[in-house]
Amino acid sequence: MPLFNNRLAQLDDAIEHAETYGEYREACAEHDELSGANEWKAKDPCRDYDYRLIRKRVQRIKLARGQGDILSLMSILHEGLHGNLGNIANPVLQHQSKLGTKHLIEEFNQQVAGALDDIYAANETEVDFYEKLSFFEETAHAFGRSCLMLSGGAGLGFFHCGVVKSLNERDLLPGVISGASAGSIIAAMLGTRTRDELIDVLNAEFIYNKFRNWRVFKGVTGKSMFDSTQLENALIEMFDVMTFEEAFKRTGLHITITVSPADLHQFSRLLNAKTSPNAIITQAVRASCAVPIVFSPVQLRAKNAAGEIVPYIPNRRFADGSLMADLPFERLARLYGVNHSIVSQTNPLAVPFLSRNRKDANSVSSITMRHITNLAKVNSIYAFDVLESAVGNRAAKLAIHKLRSVIDQQYVGDINILPERGMRSLAHLWSNPTVESIAELIRNGEKATWPQLDYIERSTHISQLLRRYLKQLKEREARVLGQAQNLRLVESKTA
């Protein structure tokens, strides 16, 4: 027994200090073998999910696939496919092992993916093209999709580079991405570069060359303490005058940059290809990074129909997006149909208070702590509302309003990737970076993502497959309609 425990301790150490994801997985696999986690995965029964429902659904899908019954497959998936069927997305299930989860859940996901393959490839004498298109449209909409949200965090925001680097290398980046403040820089990088191009920019040297002098102190006499020239020049070099619509056409990613108003009686805005297609990304990012007092607020800009650069939302200036919309999940849900979130969280106002372990999410102590936290939040919001209504000074009223917004936010998602705790990381907040400090943050981001990769893949694979097939069907439809239109045009000219 001591020898057994000693080996598990050695594996824990190997997992913590793994230099590559391959080393990490190898140590995790041996840990699961020795700890008994593999035995847990092999047993279907468990009170944390409805294994009977999932087992029955697997049997029905396998039977229909074996018989080549495409119509039955479509019916089975139509009637109840969603990401948390039978509570299979229960966080408790993700912490019983280092890798993977119940084999039954993994088999269910594999059978659903195989059924989607079969439906897409089905002979169209049996399943009409437009029946397929309708199936994938309806099922993709009902199933929903995942989003990646990158929080604010000033100099800590380079942690996001490590997170997205890990996701990009394994083709796990969601199609919907938001960024606030420092996170807006990384979101814009994702939205303006192809997957291969990202490999060249998600490294310490590139980041350092662009942002080594982002913090230039200019005194406290003006509207801001720091000169934003270096930051603005870096953003112009990276994004030029590309608009959100142009970025979407280039990469196919729906990126959103959040900005907050610099005055009262305005709400935070989500800038993206749907809400503001002609807005220029560079100015949106610059505004989202405009932490009050640190950097001055920004006038947004856009391209008009003639391609000229013009003011966007004239007479308004915008500032730090994380103040009012660090993680704008609800509005992303309305815009893009997302119902599942992956959060890379570096906001120093939130990170110290967030749990890194959701094993005991339903314990009495955890439930009690959540209740106390919610009460404190509600009471704080009430106090700020009373204070704001009692204050007459406009500047003071605006400051109170911003503080209220900071408190009245949700700082976690379904999957949360957090930096290590410790005062050392706070040194990155407002200092100019070095190659070494950026490399450390990127490395920290990569390693913090590794434990979540299996979970992310399971959570996103079906939605990505649905949307991939839907996209291919729509592209095919567009080609056919285009050919038909061209044929009619030729016939009209030759008639």
Side-chain angles (χ1 to χ4, degrees):
M1 195 68 173
L3 181 63
F4 174 79
N5 290 334
N6 184 53
R7 182 53 184 159
L8 279 179
Q10 291 175 348
L11 289 171
D12 284 330
D13 186 69
I15 289 168
E16 183 179 353
H17 296 97
E19 290 298 317
T20 67
Y21 184 56
E23 291 179 8
Y24 171 85
R25 284 190 65 90
E26 184 178 349
C28 285
E30 186 176 349
H31 194 287
D32 281 354
E33 182 65 37
L34 288 179
S35 68
N38 284 349
E39 295 177 13
W40 174 84
K41 287 186 275 189
K43 295 177 181 177
D44 293 350
C46 178
R47 65 181 182 180
D48 296 316
Y49 78 114
D50 191 342
Y51 69 91
R52 294 182 181 87
L53 171 65
I54 302 302
R55 183 189 288 165
K56 184 65 175 177
R57 193 58 59 92
V58 167
Q59 291 170 349
R60 291 179 63 194
I61 294 174
K62 289 174 73 173
L63 178 62
R65 293 188 67 197
Q67 296 174 342
D69 190 345
I70 301 301
L71 295 178
S72 290
L73 280 178
M74 294 168 72
S75 176
I76 292 168
L77 297 188
H78 253 317
E79 71 185 29
L81 179 63
H82 58 83
N84 196 23
L85 182 68
N87 207 25
I88 60 175
N90 187 344
V92 175
L93 294 169
Q94 317 312 322
H95 296 285
Q96 302 299 325
S97 58
K98 299 292 184 181
L99 297 175
T101 185
K102 290 287 187 181
H103 291 168
L104 178 61
I105 295 174
E106 293 177 346
E107 184 182 12
F108 170 73
N109 287 331
Q110 291 167 2
Q111 288 298 327
V112 169
L116 293 174
D117 293 340
D118 294 346
I119 294 168
Y120 177 77
N123 191 312
E124 291 181 4
T125 60
E126 181 181 355
V127 180
D128 178 77
F129 170 82
Y130 283 100
E131 284 185 273
K132 285 185 186 180
L133 181 60
S134 177
F135 167 82
F136 280 101
E137 281 182 328
E138 294 169 3
T139 309
H141 178 75
F143 191 85
R145 65 198 305 187
S146 297
C147 66
L148 172 64
M149 295 187 287
L150 309 174
S151 77
L156 292 175
F158 299 127
F159 171 89
H160 298 316
C161 289
V163 175
V164 300
K165 181 180 179 184
S166 284
L167 296 177
N168 184 58
E169 287 174 350
R170 291 157 188 86
D171 198 20
L172 292 176
L173 280 174
V176 177
I177 299 167
S178 77
S181 197
S184 70
I185 299 174
I186 313 304
M189 288 171 64
L190 294 176
T192 57
R193 287 165 170 79
T194 64
R195 184 183 176 192
D196 291 337
E197 290 170 341
L198 284 173
I199 296 172
D200 297 327
V201 300
L202 293 175
N203 63 73
E205 289 76 15
F206 178 89
I207 299 294
Y208 172 74
N209 287 333
K210 298 297 181 185
F211 297 101
R212 57 187 171 187
N213 292 317
W214 72 271
R215 178 184 175 274
V216 180
F217 185 71
K218 70 174 187 178
V220 294
T221 55
K223 294 182 178 179
S224 63
M225 294 174 60
F226 297 125
D227 184 354
S228 64
T229 303
Q230 295 292 333
L231 175 61
E232 289 172 352
N233 288 342
L235 297 178
I236 291 169
E237 283 183 27
M238 293 176 67
F239 311 123
D240 197 22
V241 290
M242 187 179 293
T243 66
F244 284 95
E245 184 175 49
E246 290 168 345
F248 174 71
K249 289 178 179 177
R250 189 168 197 275
T251 66
L253 292 178
H254 297 278
I255 62 163
T256 290
I257 306 299
T258 65
V259 295
S260 301
D263 52 13
L264 284 169
H265 312 304
Q266 292 288 314
F267 297 98
S268 61
R269 289 182 179 268
L270 271 58
L271 305 173
N272 52 52
K274 284 194 172 185
T275 62
S276 47
N278 298 319
I280 293 173
I281 291 174
T282 294
Q283 292 301 107
V285 174
R286 168 64 181 85
S288 194
C289 292
V291 180
I293 303 175
V294 178
F295 290 124
S296 58
V298 175
Q299 162 73 66
L300 300 176
R301 299 194 177 277
K303 284 184 186 178
N304 62 19
E308 300 167 332
I309 309 302
V310 297
Y312 185 72
I313 315 178
N315 304 319
R316 295 291 181 190
R317 291 184 176 272
F318 293 88
D320 188 352
S322 67
L323 286 177
M324 299 180 73
D326 199 44
L327 306 177
F329 179 76
E330 290 184 1
R331 282 188 281 176
L332 290 177
R334 291 196 296 270
L335 283 167
Y336 296 109
V338 301
N339 57 3
H340 179 265
S341 60
I342 303 164
V343 171
S344 178
Q345 179 57 268
T346 62
N347 194 318
L349 298 174
V351 168
F353 308 102
L354 300 180
S355 172
R356 285 152 175 76
N357 189 346
R358 296 181 68 179
K359 276 187 181 180
D360 301 317
N362 294 317
S363 67
V364 173
S365 60
S366 295
I367 293 171
T368 302
M369 183 55 66
R370 285 202 301 273
H371 181 65
I372 292 172
T373 302
N374 286 335
L375 283 176
K377 180 176 178 178
V378 170
N379 289 334
S380 298
I381 292 170
Y382 168 74
F384 276 110
D385 284 342
V386 171
L387 187 59
E388 184 180 344
S389 65
V391 170
N393 181 273
R394 184 177 179 84
K397 191 181 284 285
L398 178 61
I400 294 168
H401 185 71
K402 296 296 186 187
L403 286 172
R404 180 196 186 282
S405 297
V406 169
I407 295 172
D408 190 21
Q409 288 194 57
Q410 180 74 21
Y411 289 100
V412 295
D414 297 295
I415 299 175
N416 301 292
I417 303 171
L418 309 174
E420 295 175 352
R421 280 201 177 104
M423 293 301 294
R424 183 182 178 188
S425 63
L426 294 179
H428 299 301
L429 262 178
W430 300 114
S431 61
N432 281 323
T434 63
V435 173
E436 292 73 23
S437 69
I438 296 172
E440 179 188 354
L441 284 168
I442 293 175
R443 186 69 176 157
N444 192 346
E446 287 185 272
K447 297 191 74 169
T449 309
W450 290 349
Q452 306 285 5
L453 287 174
D454 263 9
Y455 189 16
I456 290 171
E457 185 168 13
R458 285 197 304 276
S459 302
T460 60
H461 180 63
I462 299 302
S463 65
Q464 289 187 337
L465 191 59
L466 281 164
R467 293 187 179 277
R468 185 185 312 140
Y469 283 147
L470 177 59
K471 180 182 177 183
Q472 291 173 5
L473 289 169
K474 286 189 171 181
E475 288 175 347
R476 184 177 155 200
E477 180 187 38
R479 287 196 301 272
V480 171
L481 291 175
Q483 290 170 358
Q485 186 176 8
N486 289 336
L487 180 60
R488 286 195 297 271
L489 183 61
V490 171
E491 288 175 346
S492 66
K493 288 182 177 179
T494 58

